[in-house]
Amino acid sequence: MLTEKQTPAIIDLPKYLDNRGNLSYIEEDTHLPFRIRRVYWIYDVPGGESRGGHAFRSTEELIVALSGSFDVVLNDGEKEYRFSLNRSYYGLYVPSMMWRLIENFSTNSLALVIASTDYSINEYIRDFNEFCRIKKNEKVGI
Ligand code: TYD
């Protein structure tokens, strides 16, 4: 289980390598720093497209490249992080209030997203300047 909830991090998931095919899994209590409320997946992304381009006010996520590869670009208002996900046994923990963009999807890639909240339009911040403003105000305690 992760300890630092403010920082994006790669979580090493278990992997059972087997001549019959490999197996990995995620257990809520063992691997996630949040309770699971929702699972969704992104697939059939046309070449050159990107997804995301927003932040969530309180939703935390774990993103796994179940198939293929893609890049997750995160920004906390000050610092940018880029993670290339290309193995199904790595999960990227994305804290709340992180600007995030997913790009460079390979053909037939499949992004699994495990989320800590139900879907709500009110969770989304879609304007980067507004996001930076909120982060700045958080920092000075407004
Ligand atoms: P959205 O999160 O905006 O996609 P992206 O950030 O990757 O561009 O989701 C696209 C649409 O899908 C959104 O308008 C509503 C719907 N949606 C749900 O109904 N439930 C969900 O859990 C998610 C993630 C999206």
Side-chain angles (χ1 to χ4, degrees):
M1 168 93 87
L2 280 178
T3 48
E4 179 55 75
K5 274 206 142 202
Q6 306 301 319
T7 316
I10 293 287
I11 298 178
D12 260 324
L13 299 168
K15 55 174 187 288
Y16 284 86
L17 304 181
D18 192 309
N19 291 334
R20 300 170 300 158
N22 303 333
L23 183 151
S24 288
Y25 64 90
I26 298 168
E27 280 178 351
E28 184 177 52
D29 286 344
T30 315
H31 305 115
L32 297 177
F34 58 81
R35 311 311 295 181
I36 299 171
R37 287 301 301 251
R38 177 167 50 116
V39 177
Y40 62 94
W41 47 100
I42 300 168
Y43 54 98
D44 289 348
V45 179
E49 280 295 346
S50 61
R51 301 292 311 229
H54 51 64
F56 295 118
R57 294 178 195 277
S58 70
T59 306
E60 299 164 67
E61 293 187 330
L62 187 85
I63 303 177
V64 183
L66 279 190
S67 177
S69 63
F70 48 80
D71 296 337
V72 183
V73 188
L74 303 175
N75 192 311
D76 63 8
E78 290 180 347
K79 202 170 144 198
E80 185 171 289
Y81 306 78
R82 177 178 286 268
F83 295 90
S84 290
L85 297 183
N86 56 10
R87 293 281 180 258
S88 61
Y89 48 82
Y90 289 140
L92 173 62
Y93 170 67
V94 182
S96 59
M97 285 304 285
M98 269 288 157
W99 192 262
R100 80 149 164 78
L101 186 75
I102 311 179
E103 62 182 16
N104 292 331
F105 287 89
S106 69
T107 306
N108 288 333
S109 56
L110 171 58
L112 179 77
V113 186
I114 297 173
S116 67
T117 61
D118 291 335
Y119 173 76
S120 165
I121 203 167
N122 300 324
E123 269 292 310
Y124 285 72
I125 302 169
R126 293 192 178 274
D127 182 288
F128 186 67
N129 290 329
E130 185 195 349
F131 168 74
C132 289
R133 210 163 41 240
I134 295 171
K135 288 296 271 191
K136 212 173 270 172
N137 289 347
E138 261 180 11
K139 216 172 165 190
V140 294
I142 295 177

